Amino acid sequence: MRYDFGSDNTAGMAPAALQAVVDANDGYARAYGADDVTARAADQIRRRLDADAEIRFVFSGTAANAIALSMLAQPHEAVLAHHAAHVCTDETGAPGFFGHGLGLIGLPGFSGKIEPTALHAALDEPVVGHRQPAAALSLTQATEYGSIYSEDELRHLIEPAKLRGHGVHMDGARLANAAAAGFEVKAIAGLGVDILVVGGTKAGMPPTEAVVICDRTLARRFDSRLKQAGQLPSKGRFLAAPFVGMLEDGDLVRHAAHANAMARRLAGLSPFRITHPVEANGVFVEMDDERLAALQAAGWFVYRFLDGSVRFMCSWATTAETVDEFGEALRRVA
Amino acid sequence: MRYDFGSDNTAGMAPAALQAVVDANDGYARAYGADDVTARAADQIRRRLDADAEIRFVFSGTAANAIALSMLAQPHEAVLAHHAAHVCTDETGAPGFFGHGLGLIGLPGFSGKIEPTALHAALDEPVVGHRQPAAALSLTQATEYGSIYSEDELRHLIEPAKLRGHGVHMDGARLANAAAAGFEVKAIAGLGVDILVVGGTKAGMPPTEAVVICDRTLARRFDSRLKQAGQLPSKGRFLAAPFVGMLEDGDLVRHAAHANAMARRLAGLSPFRITHPVEANGVFVEMDDERLAALQAAGWFVYRFLDGSVRFMCSWATTAETVDEFGEALRRVA
Amino acid sequence: MRYDFGSDNTAGMAPAALQAVVDANDGYARAYGADDVTARAADQIRRRLDADAEIRFVFSGTAANAIALSMLAQPHEAVLAHHAAHVCTDETGAPGFFGHGLGLIGLPGFSGKIEPTALHAALDEPVVGHRQPAAALSLTQATEYGSIYSEDELRHLIEPAKLRGHGVHMDGARLANAAAAGFEVKAIAGLGVDILVVGGTKAGMPPTEAVVICDRTLARRFDSRLKQAGQLPSKGRFLAAPFVGMLEDGDLVRHAAHANAMARRLAGLSPFRITHPVEANGVFVEMDDERLAALQAAGWFVYRFLDGSVRFMCSWATTAETVDEFGEALRRVA
Amino acid sequence: MRYDFGSDNTAGMAPAALQAVVDANDGYARAYGADDVTARAADQIRRRLDADAEIRFVFSGTAANAIALSMLAQPHEAVLAHHAAHVCTDETGAPGFFGHGLGLIGLPGFSGKIEPTALHAALDEPVVGHRQPAAALSLTQATEYGSIYSEDELRHLIEPAKLRGHGVHMDGARLANAAAAGFEVKAIAGLGVDILVVGGTKAGMPPTEAVVICDRTLARRFDSRLKQAGQLPSKGRFLAAPFVGMLEDGDLVRHAAHANAMARRLAGLSPFRITHPVEANGVFVEMDDERLAALQAAGWFVYRFLDGSVRFMCSWATTAETVDEFGEALRRVA
């Protein structure tokens, strides 16, 4: 079975990430993130985001998102998110586990983007004792369906939430893909995002994610919080190094741009109807069970997503040749 | 500042671990531990332990231990452990976090080993509604103080606990050091350990720990449990590969034996009184504040441990030359 | 504002409940449920249910349900329930709080009853790491919409759940109303319900609910569990006494039968379309905002329920005169 | 077996409490604490405490304390408390359950009072990632050993804690006894207590405790918090009424003064050495196992406390005759 298009986490490490890990292996280093590599990586990210943020590197995007939400909402409160957001559908209830029962309120919207009127309606819900009232907003950039919020779209979602005192979280598991598509990441902090998770894994790194705390008042005793949650690496340099390696020469965005381009190329070859805008590195198509089975029988592991589309993901490692080969396979089963 | 003896997590990856990570980077792999490297690593560990166990690779020893305890005791119950065990003192309350309020009952005993009479007394405590009754026993091998339980010592602790229906957890963050010192790891499952955590990080790997579920009835839906807890790596191959690399040619135990030997060499050079048996890779000495400050001023980062001793840890990376240099430094401040 | 039909928890204590509280106040009693009144109440309930169950009296139905669910499903698992069940909609996420992130999977079905085909589909869902798999089924009798499951209907829901090893919880906040309508409560344990919560509050008692553990293997250390969860009353006699008072002379079912009869009477007077079968003590009608506002302006506190119906609840305290008066008010605004 | 001196929760309701419950039973009332009785009780308490506080009535002191602590410290933080405080020893780990792993740091001090130097040392502990740093201070008034803090003693504990930004909780399960002994409860809010729990149960009420939130910024969405935690009574009037009944004519303090006087009388009759100052309603004596067994064999249920003393508790219901009878029993076994 071939996993090329199954997900963007089936590829390995990009060369610069791997090289940085090898380089970071030299000698002794202070534990728990007090090392030089971690400091360098954090500086790089602050510079790229133009944000004076507190930054930590953790193992897991699931944990990073869940911890962030638990910092923005109490157990008796809830977080507003797109109903197809990763935190709602693919993290096995991690927000409730790390947030001690914290609730999620799923909002509708096309192609993974929250519909502003739905958000306003949710924000206007009266607080009643027997429901978990909203206390935070979670946004995903790029979305689960490969669409990308414009700066204005984000502003129109964030502003009304902030007006009610809600915190804002951004799941940036594929932020590099959004950046490569033209989204200006330097705007994030200014838009009012309190905690941002910048994905490393799907961008071509080994397991590592950067938690970026834009609102530093939230960061108090953050190392204790991460340690308790099993997310404070003793050998922190190995989680920071891939960011150093992929940021210093711009490989992070370059690879993401390549993944996006591969998705567009694949979309162009698809004989199946495309169901969502191809703005990042994913392609979603309408395909019946018989054709999906035929595609899998031909050796390609891909699967049906939440909305019924079949999803193809591209990554830094996807080659044009493989896309063409896969396009051919699609045509054969169409 | 030099971190050579500050901890066994200040060293990098051993060559075989790094090489295995590099080798594992080839091509695409199925996500979430369904890849071939993970299967190979699990097989290796099962063979070394002679145990038909369910095995997963997770990021963090803190999380691995806490999750294991949460599988053996309910929130209204408690776990018996040495009062200086890592779960009691160095994990920021992770057992209570992952275990939703689960309690810890600290037991006394010399050099990190639980005193059997104290265990018996604790097991004989009547169950009353207003206390958290014991439901599990946690053992650490090698202990936090560098001592090693014999098979018989473990049997005399485990048997009475099992007789009361209690589960048994073993924190094997330094199991390789115990193995290198002659402890037979093939005995662990037979002794009645239900869940074992085999440390990778302190043994010379990047962050990775193996959770070994000897009692497979506990493993039901374990992937969901790990995913929710932020400990199911999507790119699982990079957590399994170091075990493959260090187990296939015996490097794991060979390096641990080296670390143990370096500790003995250092103990032999120490002008300070040794406070615990040097059976694994740690040396604990009696040292006053003035001398500790002088040692640190000389550039060596080491610190005072829970019992007031100053701790020196050796690792796979410690060289005889550095030990001798450090011994010289000790003599200068003595 | 009049609260007569706002809920069945706006009425006070029925005479027999109050008298039993007064009687129980005599002298000293052993604390934490070890008193004679508690023993008598538990015996009464066991007899009425024909079940050799472990029984405790707790303060809150919300807590009783949530604790029960936490005993049947782990945090990384989920409970199947009707999407309009109290545990899903009206308990502020208590199952997730007491269950440490435990998930709820809402199932459809008319008038609060789970549709069997929906249950089967949910039971057949494959277990995948990134979702919370079902581990238990929660049923409500009578339902939130005033309908009542027949014994056969329950059997057809419980059997397939038990076949997969799932636990079964029954929320019996209005079990007395179901019993009064002819449902045989002696069948509950035999049907496979593992934990039943028998409501006292809505049946005319002060705050008290009976937790009935039919599967006694679940009851181990249950007092510790309740104490930790803030649900082990020191003066337990005052939670048990109302059950003694209302069970010994059959007042519990007699009052519930009265409440049911009042609901039928009210349904007969309603000029608004009835939206759910009137089998227990609630009446649901179709009413637009203008008429609802007029009814409230006339001094009657009632409100719109989840499905858009307006709900009227009767209780032990509802009189025929008040029903007629309210019927008149309905006609005036119609 | 006689339970007269076993605890102050073995007595029933005082007459005024019972009468108020009976009186409150009239007619319909709005649910979830929005009723008139609740408003009156809250007003009464605000007046007695001279504090513009947010007030709720909950079922359980254990839950009230645990919820309060969870509002003052995060899961990765800890609460400083006397090592013999009820939250540390008698609540089955409820703070960790409601606080999601929140830690407790036990401090020493004679007769249940925290020793100021120990508090200062704890406050001066450096924050390190692998420990749960203190974020709050919990005080008990009267203490578990029947001693009473003076206003000055409290000030010297609270001030340094507040200086570090820590929250302050007071467990007032026996606050009435402290008030009866001369402690000025009007000083509490001014001293800097953020959340106070005023005990009803041990003071002669049915199960009910008042949560007094002096720092109203903590009270946001408090009803949702209580509902989720199973501590928002639907028939709230029955938890508020006893406070109305016992506060309006001063019965609360009058009964507590009686209990205190009975303790002093008993202390005067005791042939056993008194181990703690008899300032509230408890008497602690030194007694060997043989004599304790003889006392129990004579039909008096009393038990050994944490420090090895045997404890005798008096309540509103204790009569001088019974004290004398018990004094006689003590002399017989002495």
Side-chain angles (χ1 to χ4, degrees):
Chain A
M1 192 69 95
R2 295 186 60 176
Y3 294 95
D4 305 53
F5 298 96
S7 175
D8 32 6
N9 60 27
T10 57
M13 295 184 246
L18 175 56
Q19 188 57 49
V21 168
V22 172
D23 293 347
N25 197 39
D26 192 42
Y28 293 88
R30 201 163 171 190
Y32 300 113
D35 62 282
D36 296 341
V37 181
T38 298
R40 259 171 73 197
D43 278 345
Q44 283 273 0
I45 294 175
R46 274 188 286 267
R47 203 172 315 134
R48 299 298 163 115
L49 295 172
D50 194 19
D52 179 31
E54 193 82 21
I55 293 177
R56 295 293 186 287
F57 300 92
V58 303
F59 301 111
S60 148
T62 293
N65 289 331
I67 291 169
L69 298 187
S70 79
M71 294 163 71
L72 299 176
Q74 295 280 312
H76 60 291
E77 297 177 326
V79 175
L80 300 162
H82 192 279
H83 66 73
H86 209 257
V87 293
C88 292
T89 62
D90 284 293
E91 302 187 348
T92 325
F97 182 77
F98 284 90
H100 198 185
L102 170 154
L104 293 167
I105 298 172
L107 300 177
F110 289 114
S111 296
K113 291 187 189 177
I114 295 173
E115 170 59 39
T117 55
L119 175 65
H120 280 91
L123 291 171
D124 287 346
E125 281 283 319
V127 172
V128 289
H130 61 285
R131 302 256 174 81
Q132 288 173 288
L137 170 66
S138 176
L139 297 162
T140 308
Q141 179 77 319
T143 74
E144 296 300 318
Y145 286 106
S147 63
I148 295 173
Y149 285 109
S150 72
E151 212 176 303
D152 262 3
E153 287 173 327
L154 288 175
R155 184 173 294 112
H156 290 136
L157 295 171
I158 292 174
E159 273 182 3
K162 300 292 275 193
L163 270 174
R164 277 154 181 92
H166 293 2
V168 177
H169 159 254
M170 180 175 280
D171 176 355
R174 295 188 182 99
L175 188 64
N177 301 97
F183 174 71
E184 176 51 81
V185 298
K186 285 189 160 62
I188 292 172
L191 281 166
V193 171
D194 297 299
I195 310 182
L196 164 71
V197 178
V198 181
T201 313
K202 286 172 178 158
M205 304 188 195
T208 179
E209 310 283 314
V211 181
V212 178
I213 307 185
C214 302
D215 175 357
R216 276 180 183 264
T217 65
L218 297 167
R220 184 168 164 258
R221 295 167 167 185
F222 195 53
D223 287 330
S224 294
R225 187 188 291 274
L226 292 179
K227 177 66 181 168
Q228 186 186 42
Q231 296 289 330
L232 186 69
S234 59
K235 295 185 173 177
R237 52 176 151 167
F238 296 120
L239 277 80
F243 277 96
V244 172
M246 288 189 71
L247 282 171
E248 285 192 341
D249 295 321
D251 278 11
L252 187 67
V253 173
R254 190 156 52 235
H255 281 310
H258 170 78
N260 293 359
M262 291 300 100
R264 284 194 306 274
R265 182 184 189 105
L266 175 52
L269 298 174
S270 170
F272 295 95
R273 191 175 75 82
I274 307 289
T275 53
H276 297 291
V278 181
E279 298 171 355
N281 60 325
V283 179
F284 295 77
V285 303
E286 191 179 311
M287 187 184 292
D288 61 24
D289 281 350
E290 194 184 343
R291 282 171 179 79
L292 175 56
L295 192 60
Q296 290 170 340
W300 297 95
F301 177 78
V302 290
Y303 63 96
R304 202 174 287 291
F305 212 61
L306 292 161
D307 71 338
S309 304
V310 171
R311 187 185 80 160
F312 314 139
M313 297 304 291
C314 298
S315 73
W316 71 271
T318 309
T319 63
E321 292 69 38
T322 312
V323 168
D324 294 348
E325 187 187 351
F326 186 59
E328 186 56 41
L330 289 178
R331 276 191 299 276
R332 266 196 299 273
V333 304
Chain B
M1 191 71 93
R2 295 186 59 175
Y3 294 95
D4 306 52
F5 299 97
S7 176
D8 32 7
N9 60 26
T10 57
M13 297 184 246
L18 176 55
Q19 188 57 49
V21 167
V22 173
D23 293 347
N25 197 39
D26 192 41
Y28 292 88
R30 200 162 172 191
Y32 300 113
D35 62 281
D36 297 340
V37 181
T38 298
R40 259 171 73 198
D43 278 345
Q44 284 273 359
I45 294 176
R46 274 189 286 267
R47 203 172 315 134
R48 299 300 162 114
L49 294 173
D50 194 19
D52 179 31
E54 193 81 22
I55 292 178
R56 295 293 186 288
F57 299 93
V58 303
F59 301 111
S60 148
T62 293
N65 288 331
I67 291 170
L69 298 187
S70 79
M71 294 164 71
L72 299 176
Q74 296 279 313
H76 60 290
E77 297 177 325
V79 175
L80 300 163
H82 193 279
H83 66 74
H86 209 257
V87 293
C88 292
T89 62
D90 284 293
E91 302 187 347
T92 326
F97 182 77
F98 284 89
H100 198 186
L102 169 154
L104 293 167
I105 298 172
L107 299 177
F110 289 113
S111 296
K113 292 186 189 178
I114 294 173
E115 171 59 39
T117 55
L119 174 65
H120 280 91
L123 292 171
D124 288 345
E125 281 284 317
V127 172
V128 290
H130 61 284
R131 303 256 173 81
Q132 288 172 287
L137 170 66
S138 176
L139 297 162
T140 308
Q141 178 79 319
T143 74
E144 296 300 319
Y145 286 106
S147 63
I148 295 173
Y149 285 109
S150 72
E151 213 176 303
D152 262 2
E153 286 173 327
L154 288 175
R155 184 174 294 111
H156 289 137
L157 294 171
I158 292 174
E159 273 183 1
K162 301 292 274 193
L163 270 174
R164 277 155 181 94
H166 292 3
V168 177
H169 159 255
M170 180 175 279
D171 176 355
R174 295 188 182 99
L175 187 65
N177 301 98
F183 173 70
E184 177 51 80
V185 298
K186 285 188 159 60
I188 292 172
L191 280 166
V193 171
D194 296 300
I195 309 182
L196 164 71
V197 179
V198 181
T201 313
K202 286 173 179 159
M205 304 188 195
T208 180
E209 311 282 314
V211 180
V212 179
I213 307 185
C214 302
D215 176 357
R216 275 179 184 264
T217 64
L218 296 168
R220 183 167 165 257
R221 297 167 165 185
F222 195 53
D223 286 331
S224 294
R225 188 188 291 273
L226 291 180
K227 177 65 180 168
Q228 185 185 44
Q231 295 290 330
L232 185 70
S234 60
K235 295 186 173 176
R237 52 176 151 167
F238 296 119
L239 277 79
F243 277 96
V244 171
M246 288 189 72
L247 281 171
E248 286 192 341
D249 296 321
D251 277 13
L252 188 68
V253 173
R254 189 155 53 236
H255 281 311
H258 170 79
N260 294 359
M262 291 299 102
R264 284 194 306 274
R265 183 184 188 105
L266 175 52
L269 298 174
S270 169
F272 295 96
R273 192 176 74 82
I274 308 290
T275 54
H276 297 291
V278 181
E279 297 170 355
N281 61 323
V283 179
F284 295 77
V285 303
E286 192 178 312
M287 188 185 292
D288 62 24
D289 281 350
E290 195 184 343
R291 282 170 179 80
L292 175 56
L295 192 60
Q296 290 170 339
W300 297 95
F301 177 78
V302 291
Y303 63 95
R304 202 174 288 290
F305 213 61
L306 293 162
D307 72 337
S309 304
V310 171
R311 186 185 80 161
F312 314 138
M313 296 304 290
C314 298
S315 73
W316 71 271
T318 309
T319 63
E321 291 68 39
T322 312
V323 169
D324 294 349
E325 187 186 351
F326 186 57
E328 185 55 42
L330 289 178
R331 275 191 298 277
R332 265 196 300 273
V333 304
Chain C
M1 193 67 96
R2 295 185 59 175
Y3 294 96
D4 306 53
F5 300 97
S7 175
D8 33 6
N9 61 27
T10 58
M13 296 184 246
L18 176 55
Q19 189 57 49
V21 167
V22 172
D23 293 348
N25 198 39
D26 193 41
Y28 294 88
R30 200 163 172 191
Y32 300 113
D35 63 280
D36 296 341
V37 181
T38 299
R40 260 172 72 198
D43 279 344
Q44 284 272 0
I45 294 175
R46 274 188 285 265
R47 205 172 314 135
R48 300 298 163 115
L49 294 173
D50 194 20
D52 179 31
E54 192 82 21
I55 293 179
R56 294 293 187 288
F57 300 93
V58 304
F59 300 113
S60 148
T62 294
N65 289 331
I67 291 169
L69 298 186
S70 78
M71 294 164 71
L72 299 176
Q74 296 279 312
H76 60 291
E77 297 176 326
V79 175
L80 301 163
H82 192 279
H83 65 73
H86 209 257
V87 293
C88 292
T89 63
D90 284 293
E91 302 188 347
T92 325
F97 182 76
F98 284 89
H100 198 185
L102 170 153
L104 293 167
I105 298 172
L107 299 177
F110 290 114
S111 295
K113 291 187 190 177
I114 295 173
E115 170 59 40
T117 53
L119 175 65
H120 280 92
L123 291 171
D124 287 346
E125 282 282 318
V127 172
V128 289
H130 61 285
R131 303 256 173 81
Q132 287 172 289
L137 171 65
S138 176
L139 298 162
T140 308
Q141 178 78 318
T143 74
E144 296 301 318
Y145 286 106
S147 63
I148 295 173
Y149 285 109
S150 71
E151 213 177 302
D152 262 3
E153 286 174 328
L154 288 175
R155 183 174 294 112
H156 289 137
L157 294 171
I158 293 174
E159 273 183 2
K162 300 292 275 194
L163 270 174
R164 276 154 182 93
H166 293 3
V168 177
H169 159 254
M170 181 175 279
D171 176 354
R174 296 187 182 99
L175 187 64
N177 301 98
F183 174 70
E184 178 51 81
V185 298
K186 285 187 158 62
I188 292 172
L191 281 166
V193 171
D194 298 299
I195 309 182
L196 164 70
V197 178
V198 181
T201 313
K202 286 173 178 157
M205 304 188 195
T208 180
E209 311 282 315
V211 180
V212 179
I213 308 185
C214 302
D215 176 356
R216 275 179 184 266
T217 64
L218 297 167
R220 184 168 165 257
R221 295 166 167 186
F222 195 53
D223 286 331
S224 295
R225 188 188 291 273
L226 291 179
K227 177 66 181 169
Q228 185 185 42
Q231 295 289 330
L232 185 70
S234 60
K235 295 185 173 178
R237 50 175 152 168
F238 296 120
L239 278 79
F243 276 97
V244 171
M246 288 190 72
L247 281 171
E248 285 193 341
D249 296 321
D251 278 13
L252 188 68
V253 173
R254 191 155 53 235
H255 281 310
H258 170 79
N260 293 359
M262 290 301 101
R264 285 194 305 274
R265 183 183 188 106
L266 176 51
L269 298 173
S270 169
F272 295 96
R273 192 175 75 81
I274 308 289
T275 53
H276 297 292
V278 181
E279 297 171 354
N281 61 325
V283 179
F284 295 76
V285 303
E286 191 179 313
M287 188 185 291
D288 62 23
D289 282 349
E290 194 184 341
R291 284 171 178 78
L292 175 56
L295 192 60
Q296 289 170 340
W300 298 95
F301 177 79
V302 291
Y303 62 95
R304 203 174 287 291
F305 212 61
L306 293 162
D307 71 339
S309 304
V310 171
R311 186 185 81 160
F312 313 139
M313 296 305 291
C314 298
S315 73
W316 71 272
T318 309
T319 63
E321 293 68 39
T322 313
V323 168
D324 295 348
E325 189 187 348
F326 187 57
E328 187 55 41
L330 289 178
R331 276 190 299 276
R332 267 196 299 275
V333 304
Chain D
M1 193 69 94
R2 296 186 59 176
Y3 293 96
D4 305 53
F5 299 97
S7 175
D8 33 7
N9 60 27
T10 59
M13 296 184 246
L18 176 55
Q19 188 57 49
V21 168
V22 172
D23 293 347
N25 197 38
D26 192 42
Y28 293 88
R30 201 163 170 190
Y32 300 112
D35 63 280
D36 297 340
V37 181
T38 298
R40 259 170 73 198
D43 279 345
Q44 283 273 0
I45 293 175
R46 275 188 285 266
R47 204 172 315 134
R48 300 299 163 114
L49 294 173
D50 195 18
D52 180 31
E54 192 83 20
I55 293 178
R56 294 292 185 289
F57 299 93
V58 303
F59 300 112
S60 147
T62 293
N65 289 331
I67 291 169
L69 298 187
S70 78
M71 294 164 70
L72 299 176
Q74 296 279 313
H76 60 291
E77 297 176 326
V79 175
L80 300 162
H82 192 279
H83 66 72
H86 209 256
V87 293
C88 292
T89 63
D90 284 293
E91 302 187 347
T92 325
F97 182 78
F98 284 89
H100 197 185
L102 170 154
L104 292 167
I105 298 171
L107 299 176
F110 289 114
S111 297
K113 292 186 189 177
I114 295 173
E115 171 58 40
T117 53
L119 174 65
H120 280 91
L123 291 171
D124 288 345
E125 281 283 317
V127 172
V128 290
H130 61 285
R131 304 257 172 81
Q132 288 172 288
L137 170 66
S138 176
L139 298 162
T140 308
Q141 177 78 319
T143 73
E144 296 301 317
Y145 286 106
S147 63
I148 295 173
Y149 285 109
S150 72
E151 212 176 303
D152 263 4
E153 286 174 328
L154 287 175
R155 184 173 294 112
H156 289 136
L157 294 171
I158 292 173
E159 274 183 0
K162 301 291 273 193
L163 271 173
R164 276 155 181 94
H166 293 2
V168 177
H169 159 255
M170 180 175 279
D171 177 354
R174 295 188 183 99
L175 187 63
N177 301 97
F183 174 71
E184 178 50 81
V185 298
K186 284 188 160 61
I188 292 172
L191 280 166
V193 171
D194 297 300
I195 309 182
L196 164 70
V197 179
V198 180
T201 312
K202 285 172 179 160
M205 304 187 196
T208 180
E209 312 282 313
V211 181
V212 179
I213 308 185
C214 302
D215 176 357
R216 276 179 184 267
T217 64
L218 297 168
R220 183 167 165 259
R221 295 166 166 186
F222 194 53
D223 287 331
S224 295
R225 188 188 291 273
L226 291 180
K227 176 66 180 166
Q228 186 185 43
Q231 295 290 329
L232 186 69
S234 60
K235 296 186 173 176
R237 50 176 152 167
F238 297 120
L239 278 79
F243 276 96
V244 172
M246 288 190 71
L247 281 171
E248 285 192 342
D249 295 321
D251 278 13
L252 188 68
V253 173
R254 191 155 52 236
H255 281 310
H258 170 78
N260 293 359
M262 291 300 100
R264 285 194 305 273
R265 183 183 188 104
L266 176 52
L269 298 174
S270 169
F272 295 95
R273 192 174 76 81
I274 308 289
T275 53
H276 298 291
V278 181
E279 297 171 354
N281 60 325
V283 180
F284 295 78
V285 303
E286 190 179 313
M287 188 185 291
D288 62 25
D289 282 348
E290 194 184 342
R291 283 170 178 80
L292 175 57
L295 191 61
Q296 290 170 339
W300 298 95
F301 177 79
V302 290
Y303 63 96
R304 201 173 288 290
F305 212 61
L306 292 161
D307 72 337
S309 304
V310 171
R311 186 186 81 159
F312 314 139
M313 295 305 290
C314 297
S315 74
W316 70 273
T318 309
T319 64
E321 292 68 39
T322 312
V323 168
D324 294 348
E325 188 187 348
F326 186 58
E328 186 55 41
L330 289 178
R331 275 191 299 276
R332 266 197 298 274
V333 305

